[in-house]
Amino acid sequence: MSVAGITETIQCLTFKLGDEVFAVNVAKVREILDFTTVTKVPQTPDFMRGVINLRGSVVPVVDMRLKFGMTATEKTVNTCIIVMEIALDGDTSIVGALADSVQEVLELEPEQIEAAPRIGTKLNTEFLIGMGKHNETFIMILNIDKVFTFEDMESMQGGGSQAAA
């Protein structure tokens, strides 16, 4: 049974956080960078690792593991920053998402995607488009626009808005 609203094949970039596989729509991905020096910004949330200079633009970098309640990302040869566009309240912001490793670009058919599980009313699964299945592996397909709240973006940008580069 596929998720209502997904009627065509979607292309997703898959990445790992710990042992879990996540995916985002490739249309949201600008580029993938090797892990580089991140400048810490005082008084930002724990999941906000800092900022990087991307061709003259300041881009906030978020540790996706911390955002999802996991332990902090450790730097390895595979650690990378996925630079994505996030739409929030009509604005587009650029955010770097720290991931343990990038896997591959997959095409998922509607019948390979199931609705996110509903586990009581306490668990917020609004940020999940659904659960994909590929080669017996479950893939959590993120609605990256819903992973971050307006308050998250405000705290990452020091209260100001950032225009798309």
Side-chain angles (χ1 to χ4, degrees):
M1 172 144 156
S2 63
V3 179
I6 299 178
T7 57
E8 55 191 47
T9 303
I10 57 171
Q11 278 194 321
C12 297
L13 174 72
T14 59
F15 60 94
K16 286 189 102 170
L17 301 177
D19 294 330
E20 305 299 327
V21 180
F22 292 82
V24 292
N25 189 321
V26 292
K28 292 287 187 179
V29 177
R30 277 203 168 177
E31 59 189 294
I32 300 165
L33 307 171
D34 288 333
F35 187 73
T36 184
T37 304
V38 176
T39 304
K40 186 73 182 136
V41 178
Q43 298 184 4
T44 54
D46 289 342
F47 63 82
M48 168 77 173
R49 288 289 285 262
V51 295
I52 58 171
N53 179 347
L54 183 62
R55 291 182 292 282
S57 295
V58 176
V59 175
V61 176
V62 173
D63 189 329
M64 295 299 284
R65 287 175 59 120
L66 288 175
K67 181 66 179 158
F68 291 143
M70 304 163 123
T71 58
T73 301
E74 299 292 328
K75 184 178 179 184
T76 69
V77 297
N78 295 322
T79 307
C80 59
I81 299 171
I82 305 167
V83 179
M84 296 181 270
E85 291 184 6
I86 307 232
L88 197 62
D89 289 343
D91 285 337
T92 300
S93 294
I94 306 302
V95 173
L98 198 55
D100 292 332
S101 63
V102 166
Q103 301 294 292
E104 61 185 322
V105 173
L106 291 177
E107 288 192 352
L108 293 173
E109 301 292 335
E111 59 271 11
Q112 292 176 283
I113 303 170
E114 295 184 22
R118 298 265 180 243
I119 306 169
T121 57
K122 298 257 190 249
L123 184 65
N124 178 9
T125 56
E126 184 179 74
F127 62 89
L128 288 175
I129 292 172
M131 300 290 291
K133 192 166 184 186
H134 180 72
N135 295 337
E136 302 304 313
T137 301
F138 279 113
I139 301 166
M140 287 175 262
I141 306 167
L142 299 175
N143 179 344
I144 203 66
D145 295 335
K146 301 228 183 214
V147 168
F148 301 101
T149 64
F150 181 73
E151 290 75 23
D152 287 344
M153 296 306 290
E154 285 285 302
S155 64
M156 284 192 280
Q157 297 170 358
S161 69
Q162 176 182 351

